[in-house]
């Protein structure tokens, strides 16, 4: 299972700071459910725990900018990623099962 302590470390949050644990655990749960559904599996293999943690980190960092594609303020302009990064998608695709009908 994905580790709260790993996600907090990746986010630069001190392990003793428990103020964000609830929301981080929610992102971990959602990332786990996403991977289970995408791969059509019942349990996360140990090889994909890092991917679940990476998705949780990505989604946590997107909090507050979910529906914004780009934003400009004066001469400053920012663009936001709309979907999972390609490296995460590639890792998931390599574990996807093909269903023969």
């Amino acid at each position: 299972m994905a580790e709260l302590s790993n996600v907090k470390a990746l986010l630069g949050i001190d392990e003793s700071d428990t103020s964000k644990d609830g929301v981080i655990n929610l992102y971990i749960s959602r990332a786990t459910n996403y991977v289970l559904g995408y791969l059509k599996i019942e349990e996360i293999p140990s090889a994909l725990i890092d991917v679940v943690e990476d998705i949780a980190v990505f989604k946590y960092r997107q909090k507050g900018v979910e529906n914004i594609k780009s934003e400009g303020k004066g001469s400053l302009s920012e663009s936001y990623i709309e979907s999972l990064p390609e490296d995460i998608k590639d890792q998931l695709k390599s574990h996807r099962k093909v269903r023969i009908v």
Side-chain angles (χ1 to χ4, degrees):
M1 185 173 158
E3 293 287 331
L4 174 64
S5 59
N6 291 346
V7 174
K8 287 172 79 169
L10 291 167
L11 291 168
I13 299 171
D14 190 87
E15 198 165 340
S16 64
D17 179 357
T18 59
S19 66
K20 297 174 181 70
D21 286 5
V23 73
I24 294 171
N25 277 320
L26 180 60
Y27 281 114
I28 291 171
S29 176
R30 288 182 174 187
T32 299
N33 290 335
Y34 175 80
V35 172
L36 291 173
Y38 182 80
L39 298 178
K40 298 172 181 38
I41 56 177
E42 306 258 335
E43 188 176 322
I44 302 288
S46 59
L48 287 177
I49 291 173
D50 291 349
V51 175
V52 170
E53 293 170 351
D54 288 345
I55 292 171
V57 168
F58 175 77
K59 291 295 189 179
Y60 182 90
R61 287 186 175 149
Q62 271 198 315
K63 186 175 57 165
V65 295
E66 292 94 343
N67 296 317
I68 301 173
K69 290 185 181 183
S70 65
E71 181 177 32
K73 292 178 184 169
S75 62
L76 179 64
S77 174
E78 293 184 60
S79 296
Y80 301 97
I81 298 172
E82 295 180 47
S83 65
L84 292 176
E86 288 301 316
D87 64 319
I88 291 176
K89 288 180 186 178
D90 291 343
Q91 290 176 54
L92 288 174
K93 286 177 190 173
S94 71
H95 287 85
R96 197 158 196 195
K97 295 182 180 191
V98 176
R99 212 178 252 178
I100 299 173
V101 181

